[in-house]
Amino acid sequence: MSSDRARVRTLLDTYGRTYADEAGIRLKDTPQPLYQLLVLSCLLSARIQADIAVAASGALSKAGLRSARRMREATWQQRVDALGEGGYRRYDERTATQLGDGAELLLDSYGGDLRRLRDAADGDTDRLRKLLREVPGLGPAGVDIFLREAQAVWPELEPHLDAKALQGAERAGLPTSPDALLKAAGKKTEPAVLAAALVRAALDKKGAEEIRKAK
């Protein structure tokens, strides 16, 4: 167990930052940051480097597209330009369309407020997944990204350590049981931070090997 604690401490020292935090999203249980997280999750779910997705999220925010209403009101070209400003060029045209369609759906179904979508799920995580999957551009991977990060403000999701996070645990020589990981991390570690760190380890094989060596 002592080696597990040492590895988790090294993991958190190396990768202990949520993607929302990296993207400059001050996550709270309010409509605007939740929507920004949803957009970030859509961007991260594409086959593109995470740092580019984070930069594109920041560019959209800088362009003022921080809410479903502002996203819908923007022209398709404005969305394309903002994505391009963040370096998100490979999927910019398709993503610009999906962001517009997703904003439309959220406004029509939930008044642009993801807390209403949460209420519609009524505490059922499977139902929450299903409702999130209705958002254009948000596939299974994107839903997991959103849930991993949203658990910081939606505590009923804790602990959300999905298959990608557990892959990171395995690569870092850590237990693949969520309970064992949380125990090794300690009560002061937020599950969202642990989940993000494990995912980063899954994406960085060399870094995961260094963590594996911690004693």
Side-chain angles (χ1 to χ4, degrees):
M1 180 58 71
S2 60
S3 61
D4 288 346
R5 289 197 183 101
R7 287 173 183 145
V8 169
R9 183 48 49 200
T10 302
L11 171 85
L12 293 171
D13 288 346
T14 307
Y15 301 116
R17 188 183 189 189
T18 64
Y19 286 97
D21 181 58
E22 185 180 353
I25 301 170
R26 299 181 66 180
L27 194 57
K28 295 185 291 185
D29 190 24
T30 54
Q32 183 169 297
L34 287 170
Y35 177 71
Q36 288 178 281
L37 175 60
L38 185 76
V39 170
L40 175 62
S41 300
C42 289
L43 298 175
L44 283 167
S45 64
R47 295 190 179 188
I48 200 163
Q49 290 180 327
D51 59 341
I52 294 176
V54 167
S57 170
L60 287 166
S61 179
K62 185 178 178 181
L65 309 183
R66 303 185 191 95
S67 69
R69 189 166 302 280
R70 291 297 298 273
M71 188 68 77
R72 183 179 69 176
E73 289 174 351
T75 66
W76 178 82
Q77 190 60 53
Q78 285 172 325
R79 294 192 291 269
V80 169
D81 291 345
L83 289 166
E85 183 69 24
Y88 202 90
R89 296 185 177 87
R90 184 177 176 186
Y91 302 102
D92 55 350
E93 295 186 356
R94 183 183 70 181
T95 301
T97 299
Q98 290 173 336
L99 289 175
D101 292 344
E104 187 80 34
L105 180 146
L106 291 174
L107 287 163
D108 289 348
S109 300
Y110 307 106
D113 188 346
L114 282 160
R115 295 175 301 178
R116 296 185 185 179
L117 184 149
R118 177 193 187 188
D119 290 343
D122 196 25
D124 184 335
T125 303
D126 288 338
R127 173 69 176 157
L128 181 60
R129 284 178 176 279
K130 184 176 180 181
L131 293 175
L132 287 168
R133 284 291 306 276
E134 294 175 359
V135 177
L138 198 70
V143 168
D144 272 330
I145 293 167
F146 181 85
L147 296 179
R148 283 199 305 262
E149 301 271 323
Q151 66 183 317
V153 291
W154 290 356
E156 72 274 13
L157 297 173
E158 293 182 348
H160 188 82
L161 300 176
D162 56 26
K164 194 68 175 179
L166 297 182
Q167 181 188 58
E170 183 176 12
R171 285 186 172 170
L174 288 163
T176 54
S177 158
D179 288 343
L181 286 166
L182 289 166
K183 186 174 181 179
K187 294 181 179 179
K188 292 184 179 180
T189 301
E190 294 182 11
V193 174
L194 176 61
L198 289 168
V199 169
R200 292 177 190 274
L203 298 172
D204 181 4
K205 293 181 181 180
K206 185 176 180 180
E209 282 299 321
E210 290 301 313
I211 293 167
R212 182 183 282 271
K213 297 174 185 176
K215 296 180 181 180

